Amino acid sequence: MSQETYTIGALCQEFGVTPRTLRFYEYKELLAPIRDGQRRTFTVRDRARLKLILRGKRFGFSLLEIKDLLDLYRVDESGVTQLAATLEAAERHHTELTSKRDELSSAIADLEDQMNLVKQMLSQKSQVSAAE
C-alpha cells in the first residue's frame, strides 16, 4: 500500500482546482485529508476520490450522487455494488445529456435558418436602397 501523500497545493496544481474547492469537498465529506491543525495532507485515496469527483461533475452528476457512489465502496469493498450503481447513474446521465445535445442541435439549426433568412432580407433591402 502506497504511503504517498499530497499537499493541498500539489492537488490544486495537478487537477486545476482551488484550495477552496478542496476544502468544500472536505466539508461535504467527499474527501477526508489528514488534519494537523490548519494543515491538510491528502492520501492516495483522496487523490483517487478527487479524480472521480471531478469526472463525475464533468458528466453532470450532483455532489450528492457522487458522494453516494463513493460511499458504496464502504458497503462492498469488492466494488461490485459501487460499479453497478455507477453504471446505472451513468446510463441515466447519458440519456439526459443525449437529449440535451439533440435539443441544442435543433435550436442551433433553427437559429442558423433564422440567421440565413435575416441575411437574405438584409441583402434584398440593401439592393433596393442601392437602386434608389
Side-chain angles (χ1 to χ4, degrees):
M1 174 101 179
S2 176
Q3 296 299 318
E4 188 173 0
T5 59
Y6 306 89
T7 64
I8 197 167
L11 285 184
C12 288
Q13 183 176 0
E14 180 178 354
F15 291 99
V17 297
T18 64
R20 184 176 181 175
T21 298
L22 293 183
R23 289 190 299 271
F24 179 73
Y25 291 159
E26 178 184 3
Y27 172 76
K28 292 293 188 176
E29 298 178 349
L30 292 162
L31 299 175
I34 300 163
R35 300 283 306 253
D36 182 17
Q38 292 295 320
R39 182 178 167 86
R40 290 168 174 83
T41 303
F42 294 86
T43 64
V44 171
R45 179 179 179 270
D46 290 314
R47 183 186 174 280
R49 286 175 68 96
L50 178 59
K51 189 174 185 177
L52 293 171
I53 292 164
L54 296 175
R55 184 178 296 153
K57 288 206 42 77
R58 184 171 152 249
F59 295 151
F61 287 59
S62 70
L63 288 180
L64 182 58
E65 285 177 300
I66 294 167
K67 182 180 184 328
D68 289 346
L69 291 171
L70 290 173
D71 287 349
L72 285 175
Y73 186 75
R74 292 187 189 129
V75 174
D76 173 15
E77 289 189 16
S78 73
V80 172
T81 303
Q82 184 184 39
L83 289 172
T86 300
L87 179 60
E88 181 181 324
E91 288 171 341
R92 189 173 53 254
H93 281 276
H94 182 272
T95 299
E96 291 170 10
L97 288 173
T98 301
S99 176
K100 287 179 184 178
R101 180 195 60 201
D102 293 346
E103 289 173 20
L104 281 172
S105 293
S106 177
I108 289 168
D110 288 347
L111 180 58
E112 288 171 346
D113 289 344
Q114 290 302 308
M115 289 168 54
N116 288 330
L117 181 61
V118 170
K119 287 176 185 177
Q120 289 173 358
M121 292 169 66
L122 185 59
S123 175
Q124 290 171 355
K125 297 229 181 247
S126 296
Q127 289 172 3
V128 169
S129 292
E132 294 175 348

